[in-house]
Amino acid sequence: MSSNDYPYFVGVDLGGTNMKIGVMDNHGKTLEYISIPTLVERGPEDAVKRMAAGIHEAVKNAGLTPKDIARVGLGSPGTMDIPAGMLVRPSNLPGWNFFPIRDKLAEESGFGVTFANDATAAAFAEYWVGAGKGEQGLVVLTLGTGIGCGIILEGNPWDGCHSHGGEAAHNLIDISKNARWCKCGKRGHFEAYASATGVANRTIEMINAELKSSLTEPVRNAARRDMVPKLVFEEAEKGDPLAIQIVEETAYYLAVGMVSLTHTIDPTCFLIGGAMTFGGSKTKTGRLFLEKTKEELMSRIFLHLAERLRIDYALLGGDAGYIGAAGLARQEWAKNPE
């Protein structure tokens, strides 16, 4: 390995199902990657012990020693208190409330730990080595069961004053009394319309209304609701009009949610990622989704901003979380080398 690759960093992406751990060199290249089950029901203390063991395993597998690692980054789902290094009430990790995860991991692993929101970590990865490399104002929206949002301004994560910066999923986009319910228990939120859950709900309502579509039988026979967005994509690729309508409506809702972000943050770039991109730039449906999102957004924002705003798909997929966590650890280490 070149001396230019030093120092090395470890990124951890903590999820409700798995913990992804990656060893990165100084340029953002992954040297080793492992995934271990989170086992939420066994509690945070147990998870941290296994996380620390996983970090040391990954470092060893990469042909490195603990002395080669400058710092560890940890990305976690919220809610959290980032300065305190504490999980507050993370919805994906029930029972892990008010747990000082940063300091516990530092104690178990023997490394300094940088703590971040998982969506922010994913956004930083795209800024560091992905589709948003070098952008001065980057917003990454990840579409899945919910909507994640990470914001990087002039190279720094924007966490807000109470560690809740970037909670754009709960921006209000529908003020009607009959607005859709968000899973947080409030009406009219962005996430209720543009997430995979929102797509599934809207699709099922249309099918139940007996609208003619090749989606009807696949949706009615689907074993789980979370399979529905994939079915929408598949039928849209075949040209089904209702499936295409659902994709275009999703682009409309996504754009409406992006309007407030544009006028508030004034970014240079939006990147769209997550599990629900309808195939991304490699498919005609994914390209339609992106173009419709651009069209709807550009028609609703100041022309001066529209002329300077780039909208594209993210590049790093499911690896973005651990890559960005390592990148944030690298950034903190650079400010204060230990």
Side-chain angles (χ1 to χ4, degrees), residues 55-323:
I55 289 170
H56 283 277
E57 177 186 348
V59 170
K60 182 179 179 180
N61 292 348
L64 302 174
T65 70
K67 291 182 179 179
D68 296 317
I69 305 302
R71 195 167 181 87
V72 169
L74 169 62
S76 170
T79 56
M80 59 183 57
D81 182 337
I82 292 173
M86 181 179 292
L87 298 172
V88 179
R89 294 186 182 89
S91 59
N92 288 10
L93 306 168
W96 290 30
N97 298 350
F98 302 102
F99 181 71
I101 192 166
R102 181 193 62 201
D103 294 348
K104 288 288 187 178
L105 180 58
E107 180 182 327
E108 287 288 339
S109 68
F111 298 113
V113 177
T114 297
F115 184 49
N117 179 280
D118 56 356
T120 300
F124 194 84
E126 295 290 345
Y127 168 79
W128 184 23
V129 293
K133 190 172 183 179
E135 291 284 355
Q136 289 303 296
L138 176 64
V139 178
V140 178
L141 294 169
T142 53
L143 310 182
T145 304
I147 296 178
C149 176
I151 302 170
I152 308 298
L153 299 178
E154 297 183 346
N156 295 301
W158 192 76
D159 296 320
C161 296
H162 305 99
S163 304
H164 283 64
E167 290 291 345
H170 305 287
N171 285 356
L172 192 64
I173 68 167
D174 185 345
I175 63 171
S176 67
K177 292 183 179 179
N178 296 319
R180 293 182 179 276
W181 289 102
C182 180
K183 67 180 182 180
C184 73
K186 302 185 186 300
R187 285 188 184 270
H189 289 185
F190 187 21
E191 186 169 277
Y193 292 82
S195 67
T197 302
V199 169
N201 290 341
R202 288 189 286 111
T203 301
I204 291 168
E205 289 170 8
M206 291 179 177
I207 297 302
N208 289 341
E210 304 293 338
L211 297 178
K212 186 177 180 180
S213 171
S214 61
L215 267 171
T216 301
E217 289 306 311
V219 169
R220 287 181 174 169
N221 294 329
R224 304 187 312 274
R225 292 175 74 94
D226 62 6
M227 297 171 62
V228 172
K230 183 174 183 292
L231 298 174
V232 170
F233 162 64
E234 291 171 351
E235 297 307 313
E237 282 287 279
K238 297 174 186 176
D240 180 72
L242 184 64
I244 292 171
Q245 177 186 334
I246 292 167
V247 171
E248 291 183 338
E249 287 181 355
T250 305
Y252 163 76
Y253 290 125
L254 178 60
V256 170
M258 291 164 69
V259 170
S260 294
L261 284 166
T262 302
H263 287 141
T264 302
I265 299 168
D266 186 15
T268 58
C269 177
F270 277 101
L271 296 177
I272 301 168
M276 192 189 71
T277 58
F278 301 108
S281 59
K282 296 179 180 179
T283 69
K284 63 181 180 181
T285 302
R287 292 190 292 272
L288 171 69
F289 181 57
L290 186 66
E291 287 306 312
K292 283 293 181 180
T293 301
K294 289 180 181 178
E295 179 183 312
E296 296 287 356
L297 176 61
M298 297 308 181
S299 70
R300 290 170 171 79
I301 61 175
F302 293 150
L303 178 62
H304 183 75
L305 299 180
E307 291 174 341
R308 291 162 172 78
L309 184 62
R310 182 168 74 92
I311 305 170
D312 207 341
Y313 283 118
L315 283 180
L316 300 175
D319 295 338
Y322 78 78
I323 293 173

